[in-house]
Amino acid sequence: MSQALRVTDKKLDNKVQAAIGKVVCVGRNYAAHAHELGNAVPSTPLLFIKPASAIVSIHNDIIRPDPKVYGETHYEAELCIQLACGLSAATAEQAKQAIGGITLGLDLTLRDLQSQLKAKGHPWERAKCFDGACVLADWLELQNFGDLTHIQYQLYINGELKQDGDSALMLFPIYELLADISHAFSLQAGDVIMTGTPSGVGVLRAEDNLTLVLGKQQWQTQVK
């Protein structure tokens, strides 16, 4: 298994060691993002899943699917959580105790294809699950992030601020969100939850330089 699919950052405590089985993504968890795409604000979490095969490390260049064939690839920066143990029909407190690591990620979307699929009432997997569609940074310990209710993070492209996220603005806060997901289907140790993207999503272009910022930690990558 590739390094990108395992928690290997030595900064992490010993709770998170499992390989990633799946990535659970939360759509429209920020009202402003729903509005910018002309979507309704959901009353319950909107969930979809990316396979582990979609994951790549932020330390690699981002490879877009050929835009002449697949259209535009959009970036969506998100706060990401990894579980240290499984959850099934959990409470918010149990979900809190199950979290083992935190980082940032990019949910990459073939937006033109997604729009076509949505118009036909079809699932989104072809637009969301391609190889490289889930870019993850290094996992960090929770101790520097408090109770996760007011976590701020940013995405810069070519030095310009594009997305400015704050977990306090989530429609479904993290602990309650994890508990809700666990009532829909079981979560396993190592699973990743991408908690939704703030407003400011847009097109990735060749040679774009991306910087993700979470507290004092920064990561950089480039689009090819």
Side-chain angles (χ1 to χ4, degrees):
M1 182 166 296
S2 69
Q3 183 178 2
L5 301 189
R6 286 193 177 275
V7 177
T8 57
D9 192 326
K10 64 183 180 181
K11 299 176 184 177
L12 275 172
D13 58 32
N14 293 325
K15 290 195 299 181
V16 183
Q17 295 294 334
I20 298 172
K22 60 182 177 290
V23 179
V24 182
C25 302
V26 183
R28 307 178 198 171
N29 200 15
Y30 291 82
H33 171 59
H35 293 322
E36 75 176 342
L37 295 184
N39 294 320
V41 175
S43 58
T44 56
L46 177 61
L47 307 177
F48 59 95
I49 293 176
K50 291 178 184 274
S53 59
I55 299 170
V56 293
S57 169
I58 198 167
H59 299 293
N60 299 325
D61 291 332
I62 293 176
I63 308 298
R64 300 171 302 158
D66 187 348
K68 294 180 181 179
V69 177
Y70 297 99
E72 295 180 345
T73 298
H74 280 210
Y75 59 83
E76 299 182 13
E78 309 200 12
L79 188 67
C80 300
I81 300 295
Q82 188 175 49
L83 296 183
C85 61
L87 287 175
S88 181
T91 65
E93 181 59 30
Q94 289 170 330
K96 179 179 180 179
Q97 297 303 317
I99 297 173
I102 185 171
T103 194
L104 296 182
L106 295 168
D107 168 12
L108 301 187
T109 304
L110 296 174
R111 190 70 74 197
D112 296 329
L113 179 57
Q114 184 191 37
S115 297
Q116 294 169 15
L117 293 168
K118 287 170 64 177
K120 296 176 181 178
H122 292 175
W124 304 347
E125 278 82 355
R126 289 183 180 272
K128 288 281 192 177
C129 298
F130 56 91
D131 291 354
C134 178
V135 181
L136 292 179
D138 304 312
W139 294 104
L140 305 175
E141 291 182 341
L142 295 174
Q143 63 188 23
N144 297 322
F145 297 97
D147 63 3
L148 306 188
T149 59
H150 186 48
I151 306 299
Q152 296 177 311
Y153 59 98
Q154 295 81 34
L155 168 65
Y156 294 84
I157 299 182
N158 302 322
E160 179 181 355
L161 179 64
K162 292 294 187 179
Q163 291 189 272
D164 192 4
D166 187 340
S167 63
L169 299 178
M170 290 181 177
L171 297 173
F172 310 104
I174 290 173
Y175 305 136
E176 290 79 2
L177 175 63
L178 297 182
D180 180 87
I181 295 170
S182 79
H183 282 260
F185 47 81
S186 293
L187 295 168
Q188 299 171 314
D191 283 354
V192 171
I193 295 84
M194 302 189 82
T195 59
T197 194
S199 61
V201 302
V203 183
L204 285 178
R205 306 187 188 281
E207 307 305 321
D208 277 347
N209 291 294
L210 279 63
T211 302
L212 286 168
V213 180
L214 176 59
K216 297 179 180 180
Q217 184 70 41
Q218 295 187 15
W219 298 274
Q220 295 184 328
T221 188
Q222 186 177 54
V223 180
K224 294 299 185 182

